[in-house]
Amino acid sequence: MFNNLEFFIVEALRSFRRGALMTVVAIGTITVTLVIFGVFLLLVVNLGNIVGNVSSGLDISAYVDQPITLEQAGAMQLELSKISGVQKVDFISRDEAWKKFKEDFSDQLEIGEIVQDNPLPHTFIVKVRTPDLIAPVAKIVSQKPGISNVRYSGKLIEQMKALVSAVRVGGSILVILVTIATLLIVVNTIRLTVLARETDIYIMKLVGATNTFVKYPFIIEGVLIGIIGGVLSFLVLKVSYDSLAFQVSTTLPFLPIVTNGFVLGVIYIIMVLLGSILGMLGAYISVSRVLKAEF
Amino acid sequence: MIQLINVSKTYPNGTDVLYNINLNIGKEEFVFVVGPSGAGKTTLMKLLYRDEKASSGKVIVDKVDVSALTPDQVPYLRRNIGIVFQDYKLLPKRTVFENVAFALRVTGAPRSSIRRKVMQALELVGMLRRANAFPDELSGGEKQRACIARAIVNAPPILLADEPTGNLDPTTSWDIIQLLDKINKRNTTVIVSTHNKSIVDDMKRRVVAIENGRIVRDQMLGGYNV
């Protein structure tokens, strides 16, 4: 078998060199599909990440725009925590908030120089147990005396979740369709390389080669085409994603884009694997069809 | 060695090629199959190595019913039959050595023995010094010698030659027939289809004549015509 393996690889490389144009077409096809596939995976991972980040804040911010004493604040905090569905209530005085705000943005601008007076209100951060409690609790909070305004991001979370699941379902269907289309294109492309070697195959068969023996070099060629397509699409995607991620992180720093090397690595490995599987399957199907039809 | 019993062949398009052929060829015989073009000589050869399947009747090669073989078994039949073609069917981008070695490699022969066997075959056909030439650098006679070397490198018990001299001049044709005769004397059953009258007449071997798909004559030490 080892002896044959060497023969298969040599034959595959020989055919690979000879069918230059068809080989390039097949590699290009696989590359394009895998890039589409990879873009979709990155999209889903990133949307999921954004939703995950946003929904970690099941918070309602309730603002008090009048001066209150610490005792009043304590009483209000107690009252708010009695609302059903509320897990925890924190009080942030306007002085604390101002101090934190100035700290957070100290490296970007000198706020103290622009605004002398503290413009921020006192804030209660009301944490609820589940996302669907946000809207009803917020309504009750807003009716409490002393509360001037209420903010929460519940609706956004719901919409993001719907978007992510839509992208998952739609994207999966899209990927399956694109994969099938690629397989068909790869099958037909490799079929042309097989047909170009019809005489070789005929002679191989006449001197007593088994079908399996005829198939192996083509399958190895297919895997080779798939791996090259996979690596090319990986390079294309990595370069564009890295520069995109850099752009986003500098211009839209609040968007939590995925830069985790492990997650990205898994996506890239899946792409190269899928490429080699597509190439192998394409070669297998096409050479089997030619063998069945012709010999 | 080879036995055809009531064999008929009709192609899928309805053309009848062979009718009720009965033929017995013994071990190490040398047989000419003669007849005009289109008589069915090539089809008869193809039935033996299962490039075509008989429509009815039995084709027995080396005790095996060839028409009953599954596609998986056909390669093993062919390893026992060397085939020589009128148009040589050499792989153009490989040297003579590689072409001959190819026949051994596809059977999964161990690499160590391939070189030795190829050299022996090339020596037998007188092509040792042309081993590294490519087919388009060879004369017609040399191509046919390379083709014969490929057919016998596996030491098959049967050698089929379909019009081996069809593209060659008379002198070269004679050399090729002498070579086939030499192979026959090395214990190989040889069947040669031809319409080369002078060769058949000079060789005085068994002659099977086919006309319109029927065997019209089967004669020991025969000539091309009765």
Side-chain angles (χ1 to χ4, degrees):
Chain A
M1 189 60 207
F2 180 73
N3 175 56
N4 288 343
L5 189 68
E6 183 214 340
F7 176 79
F8 296 147
I9 292 170
V10 169
E11 288 300 306
L13 290 175
R14 204 186 250 272
S15 155
F16 190 83
R17 281 203 313 269
R18 213 182 311 166
L21 181 66
M22 271 358 279
T23 310
V24 169
V25 171
I27 291 175
T29 313
I30 292 188
T31 307
V32 170
T33 315
L34 291 178
V35 167
I36 294 173
F37 180 79
V39 165
F40 161 75
L41 281 186
L42 289 171
L43 199 66
V44 166
V45 169
N46 273 295
L47 278 175
N49 193 44
I50 291 169
V51 170
N53 264 23
V54 174
S55 63
S56 68
L58 295 171
D59 294 350
I60 301 165
S61 304
Y63 304 110
V64 182
D65 63 354
Q66 53 191 327
I68 48 171
T69 63
L70 263 178
E71 280 135 55
Q72 285 173 311
M76 284 174 82
Q77 189 176 6
L78 189 67
E79 198 178 338
L80 289 175
S81 59
K82 282 180 185 159
I83 301 169
S84 81
V86 171
Q87 194 180 25
K88 193 177 153 205
V89 179
D90 288 323
F91 177 68
I92 300 169
S93 75
R94 58 194 297 257
D95 294 340
E96 273 177 74
W98 183 232
K99 200 175 147 206
K100 185 163 189 298
F101 185 83
K102 281 198 285 194
E103 269 171 25
D104 283 356
F105 293 93
S106 64
D107 54 333
Q108 285 165 36
L109 63 162
E110 288 294 333
I111 292 177
E113 289 172 9
I114 303 162
V115 189
Q116 294 299 326
D117 291 340
N118 178 1
L120 300 176
H122 294 295
T123 309
F124 288 102
I125 305 292
V126 181
K127 193 169 223 111
V128 295
R129 290 203 187 86
T130 58
D132 41 318
L133 286 169
I134 291 181
V137 170
K139 203 176 169 199
I140 299 169
V141 171
S142 69
Q143 287 158 356
K144 293 288 175 194
I147 304 293
S148 60
N149 202 358
V150 169
R151 285 260 161 77
Y152 63 94
S153 52
K155 209 155 205 164
L156 182 65
I157 293 171
E158 294 308 313
Q159 283 169 346
M160 290 290 289
K161 281 198 168 154
L163 178 64
V164 168
S165 62
V167 167
R168 281 214 178 111
V169 173
S172 305
I173 294 172
L174 189 73
V175 160
I176 291 171
L177 289 179
V178 170
T179 309
I180 292 173
T182 312
L183 190 61
L184 289 178
I185 296 168
V186 171
V187 164
N188 282 298
T189 314
I190 295 185
R191 210 154 95 97
L192 294 176
T193 74
V194 174
L195 287 174
R197 292 190 57 206
E198 218 171 358
T199 320
D200 291 28
I201 294 176
Y202 182 62
I203 293 169
M204 282 172 98
K205 293 289 289 177
L206 283 181
V207 296
T210 58
N211 280 348
T212 323
F213 204 93
V214 175
K215 279 177 194 171
Y216 271 116
F218 288 104
I219 291 172
I220 292 174
E221 190 185 349
V223 172
L224 209 61
I225 287 173
I227 289 176
I228 293 176
V231 170
L232 281 180
S233 60
F234 153 69
L235 290 176
V236 168
L237 213 59
K238 179 158 172 54
V239 169
S240 12
Y241 185 77
D242 286 357
S243 68
L244 183 79
F246 178 72
Q247 291 285 330
V248 169
S249 69
T250 51
T251 58
L252 308 165
F254 53 87
L255 253 189
I257 200 156
V258 176
T259 49
N260 179 336
F262 178 74
V263 173
L264 296 180
V266 167
I267 290 177
Y268 296 143
I269 288 171
I270 288 176
M271 282 168 56
V272 175
L273 273 182
L274 187 71
S276 52
I277 291 172
L278 275 179
M280 184 178 76
L281 215 57
Y284 181 83
I285 293 172
S286 55
V287 76
S288 300
R289 265 172 36 186
V290 169
L291 277 174
K292 210 167 192 175
E294 310 278 327
F295 307 112
Chain B
M1 197 66 175
I2 292 170
Q3 226 184 337
L4 279 81
I5 306 165
N6 301 324
V7 171
S8 296
K9 174 66 186 175
T10 306
Y11 280 110
N13 64 13
T15 328
D16 295 323
V17 196
L18 294 173
Y19 305 93
N20 202 28
I21 300 283
N22 283 288
L23 183 63
N24 234 314
I25 295 173
K27 220 174 168 199
E28 293 157 32
E29 261 195 273
F30 189 112
V31 181
F32 282 116
V33 177
V34 303
S37 298
K41 304 189 296 289
T42 298
T43 302
L44 181 70
M45 297 290 225
K46 284 186 169 179
L47 289 177
L48 298 179
Y49 58 91
R50 245 300 275 280
D51 204 19
E52 293 293 345
K53 216 169 165 177
S55 307
S56 64
K58 274 190 172 176
V59 178
I60 294 165
V61 175
D62 205 3
K63 300 188 191 87
V64 175
D65 185 356
V66 169
S67 26
L69 291 178
T70 65
D72 291 353
Q73 294 169 316
V74 171
Y76 302 97
L77 164 76
R78 291 186 182 160
R79 291 176 195 184
N80 284 324
I81 303 176
I83 309 166
V84 177
F85 304 93
Q86 180 176 0
D87 58 355
Y88 326 117
K89 293 201 196 300
L90 297 169
L91 295 166
K93 295 198 174 141
R94 292 168 206 254
T95 64
V96 168
F97 182 93
E98 286 168 340
N99 265 284
V100 177
F102 195 69
L104 282 177
R105 301 226 63 169
V106 299
T107 62
R111 196 172 188 182
S112 52
S113 69
I114 287 179
R115 194 176 170 78
R116 182 173 46 82
K117 285 185 178 170
V118 171
M119 287 310 192
Q120 280 173 357
L122 288 177
E123 192 180 4
L124 182 69
V125 302
M127 284 288 287
L128 212 45
R129 28 169 216 102
R130 302 293 274 149
N132 293 318
F134 286 91
D136 58 8
E137 299 164 4
L138 301 176
S139 68
E142 286 174 326
K143 284 182 195 168
Q144 196 54 288
R145 284 169 191 274
C147 181
I148 292 171
R150 181 181 64 193
I152 60 163
V153 69
N154 213 11
I158 299 167
L159 183 70
L160 304 179
D162 191 11
E163 301 275 7
T165 62
N167 291 343
L168 303 176
D169 62 64
T171 320
T172 315
S173 297
W174 185 247
D175 292 343
I176 292 297
I177 291 298
Q178 291 299 316
L179 179 56
L180 293 176
D181 188 45
K182 184 165 138 194
I183 291 163
N184 172 240
K185 294 203 165 74
R186 295 162 58 101
N187 311 326
T188 307
T189 308
V190 175
I191 303 174
V192 181
S193 86
T194 185
H195 43 229
N196 189 323
K197 182 178 183 307
S198 64
I199 281 177
V200 176
D201 288 343
D202 287 351
M203 289 290 288
K204 294 194 173 50
R205 295 302 186 98
R206 180 177 172 188
V207 174
V208 174
I210 298 184
E211 265 169 46
N212 296 320
R214 292 184 172 83
I215 293 181
V216 293
R217 178 162 59 102
D218 186 349
Q219 187 183 12
M220 291 299 177
L221 313 176
Y224 196 88
N225 300 314
V226 183

